[in-house]
Amino acid sequence: GGAGAPRFNINYTTPGGASGFSFVGGCSNGTLVDIGNGWSRVTFDTCSAAQSFPPIPVGSTITSAVLIVDEPGTYTLDNIQVNGLYADKPGAAGPLPECE
């Protein structure tokens, strides 16, 4: 894929109550770490102008996150993590992401 996919479109509410929207990601914009067996961990700093546009204000509450894949290619995503909790395979036990 290219720089824009996969990515997340994030809606949030600022500490002051205003609604906001940011584009987060594009795997080539993230911080990439090879974790072996053909897998890489890609992380995004939502406060960084290089990885989130516009940056999400500190203290905001994420109200929705939508995964967007709109570029040709093959993508394998697993264990999407938000604030230390992750979304695992369907039916797997464990906590789901909560953003506050």
Side-chain angles (χ1 to χ4, degrees):
R7 69 178 183 276
F8 295 89
N9 287 347
I10 306 292
N11 288 293
Y12 57 88
T13 303
T14 66
S19 295
F21 170 83
S22 291
F23 151 95
V24 177
C27 279
S28 65
N29 295 328
T31 302
L32 182 72
V33 175
D34 182 353
I35 58 173
N37 290 333
W39 286 92
S40 297
R41 176 172 291 124
V42 182
T43 58
F44 302 102
D45 179 352
T46 60
C47 298
S48 164
Q51 296 181 351
S52 180
F53 181 79
I56 298 174
V58 173
S60 295
T61 300
I62 295 174
T63 56
S64 72
V66 177
L67 175 65
I68 305 294
V69 179
D70 59 357
E71 294 183 5
T74 301
Y75 304 90
T76 303
L77 303 170
D78 195 14
N79 298 332
I80 297 170
Q81 185 177 25
V82 178
N83 287 348
L85 300 175
Y86 65 91
D88 203 340
K89 296 165 187 63
L96 294 176
E98 297 175 358
C99 300
E100 295 182 11

